[in-house]
Amino acid sequence: MLGQSITNEELTVFLKAYINKWLTQDNGEIQIREIENFMAGIVGKRASSCTFNGACTGYFCLENDGRIYPCDRLSNRQELQFGNLSSQSLIEILNSPDRLRYVESVNKLHPDCASCEWQKACHNGCPANRVGGIRGKYHFCKTRKEIFQYLIIKLEEYNQQRKEEKPC
């Protein structure tokens, strides 16, 4: 899957253009989840998306045949199947050793994240996009860092512009 994705550089260029287009619209009614998730991290709030808030262990994906996985992004990975409702109760599955190992693994902080200023806003991204498995490092780490910094600059520019527009 990761081999088919865009590079950090391509995603960063896209997101910056996307952000700039959104800002030029200057319409408070247009809400873009990805941008709002970045902004939530900048101002110290919890993001709505599990890929930003580190809470993916509170979800699961139920397949039509009863198999349960951590989420829909990981339902193609047999080794991450927690169980099957056809033969187990939901309580058994959620308390199963397989799920508990997943919770422990996904919540283990990657060494690079320990010193990252954006750790509390990023949470090492989505486990489905971590290089080397769910304990790995988020594939788009570099992009996230650049976009967090970019939005801080844009926010400072916006605040400065508002100060200049206010009459004394």
Side-chain angles (χ1 to χ4, degrees), residues 60-71 74-88 90 93:
F60 65 85
C61 174
L62 172 61
E63 294 288 335
N64 62 346
D65 63 359
R67 291 176 295 150
I68 293 185
Y69 293 91
C71 75
L74 296 169
S75 64
N76 62 340
R77 297 185 46 192
Q78 184 61 34
E79 73 275 13
L80 295 178
Q81 180 181 329
F82 294 157
N84 193 313
L85 278 179
S86 301
S87 58
Q88 299 168 279
L90 183 58
I93 294 169

Side-chain angles (χ1 to χ4, degrees), residues 132-145:
I134 59 174
R135 286 188 181 210
K137 183 176 174 181
Y138 184 54
H139 179 72
F140 296 110
C141 172
K142 182 178 176 188
T143 293
R144 282 206 173 167
K145 287 178 181 181

